[in-house]
Amino acid sequence: MVSETARYLSDNGLKTMVLGLSGGLDSTVTAAICHEVVHRHAEKGFKFIGVSLPCSSNSTEENDSASLAMQGFCDESWVENLQKEYLLMKATCEQRYSSTRISQGNIKARLRMIYLYNIASVTGGLVMDTDNLTEHNLGFWTIHGDVADYNPIGGLWKHEVYELCKYLFTEVFTDPESAAHKALRAGYGITPTDGNGVEAGGDMAQIAPGHTYEEVDDILLTYLNAKHDPTALQQAMERLNTAYGAETVERVLKRHRGSEFKRKRMPQVIERSLYE
């Protein structure tokens, strides 16, 4: 992940990695990777800028964890509270249509991306993406919001990000008094949320209440591997329904199927040949 990120920066003439630090697991692990890119390739002159962009829906625990990540990993960092900007944009949008919790969360995500892309634009850099394969397959992200330029952890399922985080604080950043170690421990232990106040109780309250990411990943992986073979799919569904309950399995797969449009190339383009 470190070497490929450094190669991408070099190949495209980029110098700065810009990351919105939420304090959660994914952004903290991504911050550690960006730190290592700078550390291992000092001759390239790379720079890592981390910014915490909270609104009132972010918990104190998340903000404290983001602060540790900034101390432990960033070359430059600061906090910019976007609550007033969010309230202004929310009020502007609601002049025509009333908003929902999900649409309000999307406003927050898109405001953060405006801020981060402005930094990347003026520093010759790119915005780092932190979505993992689980989130990707559940549509658990905002189009033109928390989707960014380059994602070093995009090939990992959520349970694998947990494993990587544990490896980092047990094998790499091992000093228990260091901000890096504390940040990784905090990110590992924090309840995953979207930071947007969409649902109380964290991500699992939306995805599969009472279950774990390991179980959700098992449902998704099993389904994706078997969906093109009717016999294999029937056997897979029988196992999943027995293991986790049919209601939970259907809840997860409904999110997967319902977000398929988000995983297609954006924007959808009418091919040139169709014009002729």
Side-chain angles (χ1 to χ4, degrees):
M1 295 175 189
V2 171
S3 62
E4 283 299 304
T5 301
R7 182 188 63 78
Y8 185 87
L9 290 167
S10 294
D11 288 351
N12 291 281
L14 301 165
K15 290 294 185 183
T16 306
M17 294 166 284
V18 181
L19 175 63
L21 284 161
S22 68
L25 174 76
D26 300 311
S27 74
T28 303
V29 170
T30 303
I33 293 167
C34 292
H35 168 83
E36 286 298 287
V37 170
V38 173
H39 176 70
R40 297 187 194 181
H41 300 274
E43 76 285 354
K44 300 285 189 180
F46 296 139
K47 184 178 182 180
F48 174 37
I49 300 174
V51 189
S52 175
L53 299 167
C55 292
S56 62
S57 52
N58 292 95
S59 68
T60 299
E61 183 183 25
E62 289 171 328
N63 293 337
D64 289 346
S65 180
S67 179
L68 286 170
M70 287 190 287
Q71 295 173 45
F73 300 122
C74 298
D75 300 310
E76 185 180 347
S77 62
W78 63 91
V79 178
E80 188 68 50
N81 192 297
L82 294 182
Q83 181 66 11
K84 64 181 184 298
E85 288 80 8
Y86 161 67
L87 292 175
L88 175 60
M89 182 55 70
K90 176 176 176 289
T92 302
C93 293
E94 289 178 341
Q95 291 181 40
R96 288 290 182 178
Y97 292 99
S98 59
S99 61
T100 65
R101 283 188 176 183
I102 292 176
S103 71
Q104 291 166 17
N106 288 339
I107 290 172
K108 296 173 187 178
R110 288 169 178 141
L111 285 173
R112 292 185 182 114
M113 198 51 66
I114 290 171
Y115 192 95
L116 296 171
Y117 267 99
N118 184 68
I119 298 169
S121 176
V122 299
T123 62
L126 78 172
V127 179
M128 302 299 291
D129 190 303
T130 66
D131 292 323
N132 55 65
L133 266 178
T134 305
E135 293 170 337
H136 177 75
N137 277 284
L138 293 174
F140 213 61
W141 40 277
T142 301
I143 296 173
H144 308 307
D146 52 359
V147 179
D149 294 318
Y150 187 83
N151 188 340
I153 65 168
L156 299 180
W157 296 92
K158 185 76 170 190
H159 75 275
E160 294 177 316
V161 182
Y162 273 106
E163 292 170 3
L164 175 57
C165 184
K166 186 175 183 179
Y167 164 77
L168 288 173
F169 69 71
T170 56
E171 301 292 338
V172 182
F173 302 97
T174 56
D175 179 1
E177 298 303 314
S178 69
H181 180 90
K182 291 178 180 178
L184 290 161
R185 290 295 295 261
Y188 186 85
I190 205 168
T191 299
T193 74
D194 57 17
N196 294 324
V198 173
E199 181 95 24
D203 292 351
M204 276 297 130
Q206 294 186 64
I207 300 169
H211 292 271
T212 66
Y213 269 111
E214 286 85 352
E215 293 168 337
V216 170
D217 288 348
D218 183 31
I219 293 170
L220 288 169
L221 271 164
T222 301
Y223 171 77
L224 291 171
N225 287 332
K227 69 177 184 176
H228 297 299
D229 182 333
T231 301
L233 180 60
Q234 181 180 353
Q235 295 173 348
M237 294 301 295
E238 289 175 357
R239 181 185 75 79
L240 293 173
N241 289 339
T242 300
Y244 308 120
E247 182 179 349
T248 294
V249 173
E250 178 54 27
R251 183 182 181 123
V252 171
L253 295 182
K254 184 178 179 180
R255 287 192 68 102
H256 171 73
R257 292 189 292 263
S259 58
E260 180 60 30
F261 74 98
K262 298 174 75 173
R263 290 184 292 276
K264 296 183 182 294
R265 185 179 66 178
M266 289 291 187
Q268 295 299 305
V269 176
I270 297 176
E271 298 297 332
R272 183 178 178 85
S273 62
L274 296 179
Y275 296 155
E276 299 170 352

